[in-house]
Amino acid sequence: MEKQEFDRMEAEELIKAAMEAKEHAYVPYSHFRVGAALLTKSGKVYQGCNIENAGYSPTNCAERTAFFKAVYEGEREFAAIAINGDGDDYLYPCGVCRQVMAEFCEPDTFRIFVSKKNGEYREYTLGELFPGAFTKDDIEKARVY
């Protein structure tokens, strides 16, 4: 599969959509908003925000919110995601979100744009941020019939 190429303008538009998404965050505990914008291979964008809960483990990250919305709508092929939060440093996806990405995305072609609150960003592939991810193929290989 060919590497998906994004030009600067496309990346910045996706980051802008993530910045908009964080405005909907529900963060009464951390007060740290995060937004994500997930691009499908067909060109549709799904936005998500973090949603906190007093029980902590029911809290949902912005990235997973975007993925779950897209999957609910029938999407299964993704090209990129942008993540933006309230911090002054680059915001990287947590391990659980990386595992969700690994379920649906190609490690060598899926692009992850991590950004600072001002929109400055870095670009990675899923494989760079999550080498050796546990995938559906691993389950099939391990299945005993």
Side-chain angles (χ1 to χ4, degrees):
M1 183 175 250
E2 269 184 46
K3 179 180 173 182
Q4 176 71 45
E5 295 292 333
F6 288 87
D7 67 27
R8 186 169 183 80
M9 191 167 75
E10 290 173 315
E12 289 174 355
E13 287 300 314
L14 202 57
I15 291 164
K16 200 180 301 183
M19 293 169 97
E20 291 170 4
K22 80 178 175 186
E23 298 300 319
H24 298 280
Y26 176 74
V27 292
Y29 309 104
S30 73
H31 307 287
F32 188 86
R33 301 172 306 158
V34 179
L38 176 63
L39 177 65
T40 68
K41 287 187 178 178
S42 66
K44 190 166 182 182
V45 175
Y46 288 87
Q47 293 171 291
C49 63
N50 57 328
I51 304 166
E52 294 181 345
N53 186 285
Y56 188 71
S57 66
T59 292
N60 203 53
C61 297
E63 300 93 305
R64 282 182 281 143
T65 300
F67 265 95
F68 297 162
K69 284 171 61 178
V71 170
Y72 173 80
E73 294 292 329
E75 299 287 350
R76 298 294 188 276
E77 295 184 344
F78 304 101
I81 193 167
I83 307 158
N84 183 271
D86 283 336
D88 293 325
D89 206 355
Y90 298 101
L91 189 61
Y92 290 83
C94 74
V96 174
C97 289
R98 292 177 200 204
Q99 184 60 56
V100 169
M101 291 175 198
E103 182 72 17
F104 295 102
C105 306
E106 296 294 324
D108 297 331
T109 59
F110 184 73
R111 314 308 288 177
I112 301 171
F113 299 97
V114 297
S115 62
K116 296 180 179 183
K117 70 179 175 184
N118 67 3
E120 183 181 329
Y121 69 93
R122 291 181 179 167
E123 178 181 356
Y124 299 91
T125 64
L126 175 58
E128 289 172 323
L129 289 185
F130 199 26
F134 192 68
T135 67
K136 292 182 285 190
D137 291 339
D138 296 324
I139 297 293
E140 286 302 313
K141 290 175 193 170
R143 188 166 286 163
V144 177
Y145 295 95

